Amino acid sequence: MQRYLYRRLLSLLGTLFGVTILIFLLVHLIPGDPVQYLLGDYPTEEAIAALNEQLGLDKPLIIQYAGFLGKLLQGDLGTSYITGYTVWQEIVDRFPITFQLALYSVILATIIGILVGVVSAVKQNTWVDRVAVFLSLIGISAPGFWIALFLIWIFAYKLPIFPISGYDGFFSLVLPTITLALGEAGMIARMTRSSMLDVIKQDYMRTAQAKGAPQHWVIIRHGLQNAIIPVITLIGLEFGALLAGAVVTETIFSLQGLGSLAIEAIGKRDLPTIQGLVFFIAFLFALTNLIVDLMYSWFDPRIKYE
């Protein structure tokens, strides 16, 4: 396990190094001039030159990249052109909301998705299976903004139960969580159903049933445990993606998370914030994938890391 972990960490470092190159190049391809944005509509040539020199934007790209990489190695993600705060501070202020939203959404989606997927597989080709598949397709296909607006119409206007704007504790995240969880639950349900159908046909399932084990025990202990690996992979990918910030959902519900921070930074051509935020998101995604890989052996002892 330790040798495998060391190899994965080295691979993670290589991946992040490649990410820094892509981030830097892509950010500098974004249309618009941050200096123009900072100085307003009619800046003088002297003011533009002075600010370019102050921000280091007059240097060759290779020098700018070296400076960006050097700061990253020291744990410095840069300083925002707009607010003057460090990117770390911006992330620390916004990340808790995004993390809570991602965590609650994945938990709710996992519970619903696995339950629906297992029931659908066990009741294959019955009306229960057809209804479950239909609901899963609706969850996958329905646009997030449509679900959000529908929930706002029901639970904020018709039944004013939950707040719909800003963050003021747990109840502010109820509707955004449901919005994100429905689509994820549909995908998890489809994956769980597919994996369970493969497992149910195996000989050890029939053997366990022939020995007189309760059906629910056979399904959970022998079926779900052997079908869970691809489901865990999907859940890990979804959680990593949500940690990047749910842009549409955060915008609709006016949540100040990482997604809204990214939109603001792009709109204002705040290059250090964009670069630092994307690197942070890439690191979280890679770390999530590593944790998911290490969890495989816990769910399936047959998997060995050698």
Side-chain angles (χ1 to χ4, degrees), residues 135-147:
L135 293 177
S136 299
L137 287 174
I138 291 179
I140 295 172
S141 305
F145 70 87
W146 183 86
I147 296 175

Side-chain angles (χ1 to χ4, degrees), residues 232-291:
I232 293 174
T233 303
L234 177 61
I235 293 172
L237 292 173
E238 291 298 319
F239 184 61
L242 287 177
L243 287 177
V247 175
V248 174
T249 302
E250 289 183 7
T251 301
I252 291 175
F253 291 99
S254 300
L255 296 174
Q256 298 301 305
L258 294 186
S260 59
L261 176 61
I263 293 298
E264 293 170 9
I266 293 172
K268 297 175 180 178
R269 308 300 187 269
D270 192 352
L271 301 187
T273 300
I274 299 172
Q275 292 175 164
L277 181 58
V278 173
F279 178 81
F280 178 74
I281 290 170
F283 173 77
L284 287 180
F285 201 88
L287 184 62
T288 301
N289 286 337
L290 174 60
I291 294 173

Side-chain angles (χ1 to χ4, degrees), residues 116-134 193 197 200-201:
V116 171
V118 170
V119 172
S120 178
V122 173
K123 302 293 184 179
Q124 184 184 14
N125 296 328
T126 65
W127 69 269
V128 176
D129 181 28
R130 295 186 181 93
V131 170
V133 171
F134 177 72
R193 179 182 183 275
L197 287 177
I200 287 175
K201 301 174 184 178

Side-chain angles (χ1 to χ4, degrees), residues 1-293:
M1 173 69 79
Q2 290 183 347
R3 293 175 60 187
Y4 174 79
L5 181 59
Y6 293 149
R7 290 198 302 268
R8 285 301 307 271
L9 289 175
L10 289 175
S11 174
L12 177 63
L13 292 176
T15 300
L16 292 177
F17 174 71
V19 166
T20 62
I21 298 175
L22 289 176
I23 292 172
F24 184 81
L25 293 176
L26 291 176
V27 163
H28 282 77
L29 292 175
I30 295 176
D33 184 359
V35 172
Q36 184 76 35
Y37 184 89
L38 291 171
L39 293 178
D41 294 330
Y42 304 104
T44 64
E45 294 294 332
E46 292 79 7
I48 293 175
L51 189 54
N52 271 319
E53 183 178 0
Q54 178 184 341
L55 299 178
L57 297 177
D58 59 335
K59 299 176 181 177
L61 287 181
I62 187 65
I63 302 299
Q64 294 184 45
Y65 172 74
F68 168 62
L69 186 60
K71 289 181 178 180
L72 281 181
L73 294 176
Q74 300 175 39
D76 183 3
L77 295 180
T79 302
S80 170
Y81 291 160
I82 307 300
T83 64
Y85 295 120
T86 64
V87 178
W88 267 122
Q89 186 60 52
E90 299 273 8
I91 291 174
V92 168
D93 291 342
R94 304 284 193 110
F95 183 64
I97 294 177
T98 295
F99 180 76
Q100 290 181 72
L101 182 58
L103 182 62
Y104 298 154
S105 300
V106 166
I107 291 175
L108 180 60
T110 300
I111 294 173
I112 297 174
I114 290 180
L115 180 61
V116 171
V118 170
V119 172
S120 178
V122 173
K123 302 293 184 179
Q124 184 184 14
N125 296 328
T126 65
W127 69 269
V128 176
D129 181 28
R130 295 186 181 93
V131 170
V133 171
F134 177 72
L135 293 177
S136 299
L137 287 174
I138 291 179
I140 295 172
S141 305
F145 70 87
W146 183 86
I147 296 175
L149 295 176
F150 181 71
L151 292 175
I152 290 173
W153 179 67
I154 293 179
F155 295 106
Y157 291 102
K158 296 297 182 180
L159 300 172
I161 301 175
F162 301 110
I164 62 173
S165 179
Y167 176 77
D168 188 25
F170 172 78
F171 287 102
S172 301
L173 297 178
V174 172
L175 296 184
T177 295
I178 296 174
T179 299
L180 294 174
L182 289 180
E184 297 163 18
M187 291 185 286
I188 294 173
R190 292 297 300 272
M191 179 65 74
T192 303
R193 179 182 183 275
S194 177
S195 298
M196 282 294 296
L197 287 177
D198 291 336
V199 169
I200 287 175
K201 301 174 184 178
Q202 300 300 318
D203 292 337
Y204 58 79
M205 293 288 289
R206 290 190 289 269
T207 301
Q209 291 175 339
K211 288 182 177 180
Q215 185 179 16
H216 69 275
W217 175 257
V218 174
I219 292 172
I220 296 174
R221 181 66 179 84
H222 298 283
L224 184 58
Q225 184 172 358
N226 287 284
I228 200 68
I229 295 299
V231 180
I232 293 174
T233 303
L234 177 61
I235 293 172
L237 292 173
E238 291 298 319
F239 184 61
L242 287 177
L243 287 177
V247 175
V248 174
T249 302
E250 289 183 7
T251 301
I252 291 175
F253 291 99
S254 300
L255 296 174
Q256 298 301 305
L258 294 186
S260 59
L261 176 61
I263 293 298
E264 293 170 9
I266 293 172
K268 297 175 180 178
R269 308 300 187 269
D270 192 352
L271 301 187
T273 300
I274 299 172
Q275 292 175 164
L277 181 58
V278 173
F279 178 81
F280 178 74
I281 290 170
F283 173 77
L284 287 180
F285 201 88
L287 184 62
T288 301
N289 286 337
L290 174 60
I291 294 173
V292 168
D293 286 348

